[in-house]
Amino acid sequence: MKIDKKEVLKALETISVPGEGQNMVESGAVTNVQIFGEEVEVDVTIKNPSLQARKKTEVEILKTIHELVYEKAKIKVNLKVDAPAKPQVNQIKGKPIKGIQNVVAVASGKGGVGKSTVTANLAVTLAKMGFKVGLLDTDIYGPSMPIMFDVANERPLSINVDGKNKMKPVENYGVKMLSIGFFTQPNQAVIWRGPMASKALNQMIFDAHWDELDFLLLDLPPGTGDIHLSIMQSLPVTGAVVVSTPQEIALADARKGVAMFQQEAINVPVLGIVENMAYFTPEELPENKYFIFGKDGAKNLAEDLTVPFLGEIPLVQSIREAGDVGRPAALQTASPIEEAFEELTKNMVQELVRRNKDLPPTEAIKITTMAGCSAVKKK
């Protein structure tokens, strides 16, 4: 079949340019279309430099030409980014911690969506894959990692490193860990103000001997507040993962969590969104799925925000039980739960590799004015 160039251009007019509103032919984003029999080559230039925008543009071009022109067309998309230079807003070059390759923040806008459970299982899955993994529990007021890793009664040791006293993280299941929970009693409430909490976090970050790590996971507290800013001022965070359940009330806050990382003064790449408690399958009806909190909510949010969807984790009783007894569920060999967390972890690592290939290192932020603390307005 001979493909008509006019039909291809007409099809491309149905696609909007990410962040611009106009279709890609009208805006001039499509710079050239060449037809060679059943082969179509499209040259496109967009202004949005994000991985998500590039990926979405390429996928939409392929899908649209196959659906509207010819389903067997062989399509090549030559995508170029022509992003306008942006002034640096309240950012300084961060000094990475020696030996730590990637710092990944795991966040949620709302509490109770299973963010800490997802973080714990990501950590042990990465360790099973052979990576060197550290985990920093940054939830000063509600630390849960010591219980989830069955080390609640452990205490970090003091060791001498190059003439300086450093904290040696507690280790279990191949994961090195620090948490304020190691320094408080089980019935003791932490009632510190923000500056004191931030100081404790800095001590756990910089006064610890993490040694060589491929990944340092940060289990952030819910919300978008003082602790989050303190972390991102202290560390050049490589990327962020946002956890949500499918229900609307959680998605509204997850949207704010993504917006926080994308704010110009913070500018941390969002590696993707995780849908936790996606569905429930009774043991006696293994083929049935009950969408208790709604269906595909986080998946649809990821598509709406043009960020990757990393995967879904079902609502399973043994995941909760595993966390309570201190053995993360991803350690259950040859189980559907292990498979779900392995798929999630592989997707996260894949997005991290893409991010490190295509984007420069993230800088630690320095917020010098109240502009860095203002509400985020997405156009």
mmCIF file with all atom_site columns, all heavy atoms in Angstrom, residues 47-60:
data_model
loop_
_atom_site.group_PDB
_atom_site.id
_atom_site.type_symbol
_atom_site.label_atom_id
_atom_site.label_alt_id
_atom_site.label_comp_id
_atom_site.label_asym_id
_atom_site.label_entity_id
_atom_site.label_seq_id
_atom_site.pdbx_PDB_ins_code
_atom_site.Cartn_x
_atom_site.Cartn_y
_atom_site.Cartn_z
_atom_site.occupancy
_atom_site.B_iso_or_equiv
_atom_site.pdbx_formal_charge
_atom_site.auth_seq_id
_atom_site.auth_comp_id
_atom_site.auth_asym_id
_atom_site.auth_atom_id
_atom_site.pdbx_PDB_model_num
ATOM 1   N N   . LYS A 1 47 ? 9.364  21.354 22.809 1.00 0.00 ? 47 LYS A N   1
ATOM 2   C CA  . LYS A 1 47 ? 10.062 22.232 23.751 1.00 0.00 ? 47 LYS A CA  1
ATOM 3   C C   . LYS A 1 47 ? 10.154 21.640 25.152 1.00 0.00 ? 47 LYS A C   1
ATOM 4   O O   . LYS A 1 47 ? 10.918 22.107 25.976 1.00 0.00 ? 47 LYS A O   1
ATOM 5   C CB  . LYS A 1 47 ? 9.353  23.595 23.810 1.00 0.00 ? 47 LYS A CB  1
ATOM 6   C CG  . LYS A 1 47 ? 9.428  24.359 22.490 1.00 0.00 ? 47 LYS A CG  1
ATOM 7   C CD  . LYS A 1 47 ? 8.690  25.688 22.579 1.00 0.00 ? 47 LYS A CD  1
ATOM 8   C CE  . LYS A 1 47 ? 8.746  26.417 21.243 1.00 0.00 ? 47 LYS A CE  1
ATOM 9   N NZ  . LYS A 1 47 ? 8.004  27.706 21.276 1.00 0.00 ? 47 LYS A NZ  1
ATOM 10  N N   . ASN A 1 48 ? 9.334  20.635 25.428 1.00 0.00 ? 48 ASN A N   1
ATOM 11  C CA  . ASN A 1 48 ? 9.327  20.018 26.759 1.00 0.00 ? 48 ASN A CA  1
ATOM 12  C C   . ASN A 1 48 ? 10.442 18.973 26.839 1.00 0.00 ? 48 ASN A C   1
ATOM 13  O O   . ASN A 1 48 ? 10.395 17.964 26.137 1.00 0.00 ? 48 ASN A O   1
ATOM 14  C CB  . ASN A 1 48 ? 7.972  19.351 27.015 1.00 0.00 ? 48 ASN A CB  1
ATOM 15  C CG  . ASN A 1 48 ? 7.804  18.916 28.454 1.00 0.00 ? 48 ASN A CG  1
ATOM 16  O OD1 . ASN A 1 48 ? 8.775  18.565 29.125 1.00 0.00 ? 48 ASN A OD1 1
ATOM 17  N ND2 . ASN A 1 48 ? 6.578  18.918 28.940 1.00 0.00 ? 48 ASN A ND2 1
ATOM 18  N N   . PRO A 1 49 ? 11.465 19.178 27.690 1.00 0.00 ? 49 PRO A N   1
ATOM 19  C CA  . PRO A 1 49 ? 12.614 18.267 27.703 1.00 0.00 ? 49 PRO A CA  1
ATOM 20  C C   . PRO A 1 49 ? 12.423 17.007 28.542 1.00 0.00 ? 49 PRO A C   1
ATOM 21  O O   . PRO A 1 49 ? 13.309 16.153 28.569 1.00 0.00 ? 49 PRO A O   1
ATOM 22  C CB  . PRO A 1 49 ? 13.720 19.135 28.320 1.00 0.00 ? 49 PRO A CB  1
ATOM 23  C CG  . PRO A 1 49 ? 12.986 20.043 29.254 1.00 0.00 ? 49 PRO A CG  1
ATOM 24  C CD  . PRO A 1 49 ? 11.644 20.312 28.608 1.00 0.00 ? 49 PRO A CD  1
ATOM 25  N N   . SER A 1 50 ? 11.281 16.869 29.220 1.00 0.00 ? 50 SER A N   1
ATOM 26  C CA  . SER A 1 50 ? 11.122 15.733 30.138 1.00 0.00 ? 50 SER A CA  1
ATOM 27  C C   . SER A 1 50 ? 11.039 14.409 29.384 1.00 0.00 ? 50 SER A C   1
ATOM 28  O O   . SER A 1 50 ? 10.565 14.337 28.248 1.00 0.00 ? 50 SER A O   1
ATOM 29  C CB  . SER A 1 50 ? 9.861  15.907 30.993 1.00 0.00 ? 50 SER A CB  1
ATOM 30  O OG  . SER A 1 50 ? 8.700  15.752 30.207 1.00 0.00 ? 50 SER A OG  1
ATOM 31  N N   . LEU A 1 51 ? 11.504 13.357 30.051 1.00 0.00 ? 51 LEU A N   1
ATOM 32  C CA  . LEU A 1 51 ? 11.436 12.010 29.479 1.00 0.00 ? 51 LEU A CA  1
ATOM 33  C C   . LEU A 1 51 ? 9.994  11.622 29.185 1.00 0.00 ? 51 LEU A C   1
ATOM 34  O O   . LEU A 1 51 ? 9.700  10.996 28.155 1.00 0.00 ? 51 LEU A O   1
ATOM 35  C CB  . LEU A 1 51 ? 12.044 10.997 30.463 1.00 0.00 ? 51 LEU A CB  1
ATOM 36  C CG  . LEU A 1 51 ? 13.554 11.038 30.673 1.00 0.00 ? 51 LEU A CG  1
ATOM 37  C CD1 . LEU A 1 51 ? 13.925 10.073 31.785 1.00 0.00 ? 51 LEU A CD1 1
ATOM 38  C CD2 . LEU A 1 51 ? 14.290 10.684 29.406 1.00 0.00 ? 51 LEU A CD2 1
ATOM 39  N N   . GLN A 1 52 ? 9.102  11.996 30.084 1.00 0.00 ? 52 GLN A N   1
ATOM 40  C CA  . GLN A 1 52 ? 7.708  11.613 29.932 1.00 0.00 ? 52 GLN A CA  1
ATOM 41  C C   . GLN A 1 52 ? 7.089  12.245 28.680 1.00 0.00 ? 52 GLN A C   1
ATOM 42  O O   . GLN A 1 52 ? 6.342  11.594 27.939 1.00 0.00 ? 52 GLN A O   1
ATOM 43  C CB  . GLN A 1 52 ? 6.911  12.048 31.173 1.00 0.00 ? 52 GLN A CB  1
ATOM 44  C CG  . GLN A 1 52 ? 7.315  11.330 32.458 1.00 0.00 ? 52 GLN A CG  1
ATOM 45  C CD  . GLN A 1 52 ? 8.547  11.923 33.095 1.00 0.00 ? 52 GLN A CD  1
ATOM 46  O OE1 . GLN A 1 52 ? 8.974  13.000 32.720 1.00 0.00 ? 52 GLN A OE1 1
ATOM 47  N NE2 . GLN A 1 52 ? 9.154  11.215 34.041 1.00 0.00 ? 52 GLN A NE2 1
ATOM 48  N N   . ALA A 1 53 ? 7.416  13.536 28.433 1.00 0.00 ? 53 ALA A N   1
ATOM 49  C CA  . ALA A 1 53 ? 6.864  14.216 27.254 1.00 0.00 ? 53 ALA A CA  1
ATOM 50  C C   . ALA A 1 53 ? 7.384  13.593 25.972 1.00 0.00 ? 53 ALA A C   1
ATOM 51  O O   . ALA A 1 53 ? 6.641  13.398 25.002 1.00 0.00 ? 53 ALA A O   1
ATOM 52  C CB  . ALA A 1 53 ? 7.215  15.705 27.311 1.00 0.00 ? 53 ALA A CB  1
ATOM 53  N N   . ARG A 1 54 ? 8.662  13.261 25.963 1.00 0.00 ? 54 ARG A N   1
ATOM 54  C CA  . ARG A 1 54 ? 9.241  12.644 24.759 1.00 0.00 ? 54 ARG A CA  1
ATOM 55  C C   . ARG A 1 54 ? 8.627  11.279 24.483 1.00 0.00 ? 54 ARG A C   1
ATOM 56  O O   . ARG A 1 54 ? 8.279  10.944 23.351 1.00 0.00 ? 54 ARG A O   1
ATOM 57  C CB  . ARG A 1 54 ? 10.762 12.517 24.932 1.00 0.00 ? 54 ARG A CB  1
ATOM 58  C CG  . ARG A 1 54 ? 11.503 13.815 24.655 1.00 0.00 ? 54 ARG A CG  1
ATOM 59  C CD  . ARG A 1 54 ? 12.983 13.628 24.800 1.00 0.00 ? 54 ARG A CD  1
ATOM 60  N NE  . ARG A 1 54 ? 13.403 13.863 26.158 1.00 0.00 ? 54 ARG A NE  1
ATOM 61  C CZ  . ARG A 1 54 ? 14.649 13.683 26.589 1.00 0.00 ? 54 ARG A CZ  1
ATOM 62  N NH1 . ARG A 1 54 ? 15.565 13.243 25.766 1.00 0.00 ? 54 ARG A NH1 1
ATOM 63  N NH2 . ARG A 1 54 ? 14.982 13.941 27.821 1.00 0.00 ? 54 ARG A NH2 1
ATOM 64  N N   . LYS A 1 55 ? 8.507  10.503 25.559 1.00 0.00 ? 55 LYS A N   1
ATOM 65  C CA  . LYS A 1 55 ? 7.955  9.156  25.419 1.00 0.00 ? 55 LYS A CA  1
ATOM 66  C C   . LYS A 1 55 ? 6.497  9.211  24.949 1.00 0.00 ? 55 LYS A C   1
ATOM 67  O O   . LYS A 1 55 ? 6.085  8.473  24.040 1.00 0.00 ? 55 LYS A O   1
ATOM 68  C CB  . LYS A 1 55 ? 8.051  8.440  26.777 1.00 0.00 ? 55 LYS A CB  1
ATOM 69  C CG  . LYS A 1 55 ? 7.663  6.974  26.751 1.00 0.00 ? 55 LYS A CG  1
ATOM 70  C CD  . LYS A 1 55 ? 7.919  6.375  28.122 1.00 0.00 ? 55 LYS A CD  1
ATOM 71  C CE  . LYS A 1 55 ? 7.523  4.904  28.165 1.00 0.00 ? 55 LYS A CE  1
ATOM 72  N NZ  . LYS A 1 55 ? 7.735  4.318  29.498 1.00 0.00 ? 55 LYS A NZ  1
ATOM 73  N N   . LYS A 1 56 ? 5.717  10.133 25.556 1.00 0.00 ? 56 LYS A N   1
ATOM 74  C CA  . LYS A 1 56 ? 4.304  10.244 25.200 1.00 0.00 ? 56 LYS A CA  1
ATOM 75  C C   . LYS A 1 56 ? 4.143  10.691 23.744 1.00 0.00 ? 56 LYS A C   1
ATOM 76  O O   . LYS A 1 56 ? 3.295  10.178 23.012 1.00 0.00 ? 56 LYS A O   1
ATOM 77  C CB  . LYS A 1 56 ? 3.622  11.239 26.129 1.00 0.00 ? 56 LYS A CB  1
ATOM 78  C CG  . LYS A 1 56 ? 2.126  11.371 25.880 1.00 0.00 ? 56 LYS A CG  1
ATOM 79  C CD  . LYS A 1 56 ? 1.482  12.348 26.851 1.00 0.00 ? 56 LYS A CD  1
ATOM 80  C CE  . LYS A 1 56 ? -0.010 12.463 26.592 1.00 0.00 ? 56 LYS A CE  1
ATOM 81  N NZ  . LYS A 1 56 ? -0.668 13.432 27.496 1.00 0.00 ? 56 LYS A NZ  1
ATOM 82  N N   . THR A 1 57 ? 4.977  11.638 23.311 1.00 0.00 ? 57 THR A N   1
ATOM 83  C CA  . THR A 1 57 ? 4.899  12.137 21.931 1.00 0.00 ? 57 THR A CA  1
ATOM 84  C C   . THR A 1 57 ? 5.165  11.027 20.928 1.00 0.00 ? 57 THR A C   1
ATOM 85  O O   . THR A 1 57 ? 4.423  10.842 19.956 1.00 0.00 ? 57 THR A O   1
ATOM 86  C CB  . THR A 1 57 ? 5.908  13.280 21.728 1.00 0.00 ? 57 THR A CB  1
ATOM 87  O OG1 . THR A 1 57 ? 5.604  14.351 22.642 1.00 0.00 ? 57 THR A OG1 1
ATOM 88  C CG2 . THR A 1 57 ? 5.854  13.810 20.302 1.00 0.00 ? 57 THR A CG2 1
ATOM 89  N N   . GLU A 1 58 ? 6.216  10.262 21.174 1.00 0.00 ? 58 GLU A N   1
ATOM 90  C CA  . GLU A 1 58 ? 6.577  9.195  20.239 1.00 0.00 ? 58 GLU A CA  1
ATOM 91  C C   . GLU A 1 58 ? 5.483  8.122  20.168 1.00 0.00 ? 58 GLU A C   1
ATOM 92  O O   . GLU A 1 58 ? 5.095  7.679  19.085 1.00 0.00 ? 58 GLU A O   1
ATOM 93  C CB  . GLU A 1 58 ? 7.910  8.558  20.651 1.00 0.00 ? 58 GLU A CB  1
ATOM 94  C CG  . GLU A 1 58 ? 8.411  7.524  19.665 1.00 0.00 ? 58 GLU A CG  1
ATOM 95  C CD  . GLU A 1 58 ? 9.812  7.037  19.995 1.00 0.00 ? 58 GLU A CD  1
ATOM 96  O OE1 . GLU A 1 58 ? 10.435 7.568  20.930 1.00 0.00 ? 58 GLU A OE1 1
ATOM 97  O OE2 . GLU A 1 58 ? 10.283 6.117  19.304 1.00 0.00 ? 58 GLU A OE2 1
ATOM 98  N N   . VAL A 1 59 ? 4.973  7.729  21.343 1.00 0.00 ? 59 VAL A N   1
ATOM 99  C CA  . VAL A 1 59 ? 3.925  6.702  21.391 1.00 0.00 ? 59 VAL A CA  1
ATOM 100 C C   . VAL A 1 59 ? 2.662  7.178  20.669 1.00 0.00 ? 59 VAL A C   1
ATOM 101 O O   . VAL A 1 59 ? 2.029  6.416  19.920 1.00 0.00 ? 59 VAL A O   1
ATOM 102 C CB  . VAL A 1 59 ? 3.601  6.328  22.853 1.00 0.00 ? 59 VAL A CB  1
ATOM 103 C CG1 . VAL A 1 59 ? 2.337  5.480  22.931 1.00 0.00 ? 59 VAL A CG1 1
ATOM 104 C CG2 . VAL A 1 59 ? 4.771  5.562  23.477 1.00 0.00 ? 59 VAL A CG2 1
ATOM 105 N N   . GLU A 1 60 ? 2.279  8.447  20.863 1.00 0.00 ? 60 GLU A N   1
ATOM 106 C CA  . GLU A 1 60 ? 1.068  8.967  20.228 1.00 0.00 ? 60 GLU A CA  1
ATOM 107 C C   . GLU A 1 60 ? 1.208  9.034  18.713 1.00 0.00 ? 60 GLU A C   1
ATOM 108 O O   . GLU A 1 60 ? 0.253  8.761  17.982 1.00 0.00 ? 60 GLU A O   1
ATOM 109 C CB  . GLU A 1 60 ? 0.736  10.350 20.796 1.00 0.00 ? 60 GLU A CB  1
ATOM 110 C CG  . GLU A 1 60 ? 0.146  10.298 22.197 1.00 0.00 ? 60 GLU A CG  1
ATOM 111 C CD  . GLU A 1 60 ? -0.421 11.636 22.634 1.00 0.00 ? 60 GLU A CD  1
ATOM 112 O OE1 . GLU A 1 60 ? -0.108 12.644 21.987 1.00 0.00 ? 60 GLU A OE1 1
ATOM 113 O OE2 . GLU A 1 60 ? -1.171 11.662 23.617 1.00 0.00 ? 60 GLU A OE2 1
#
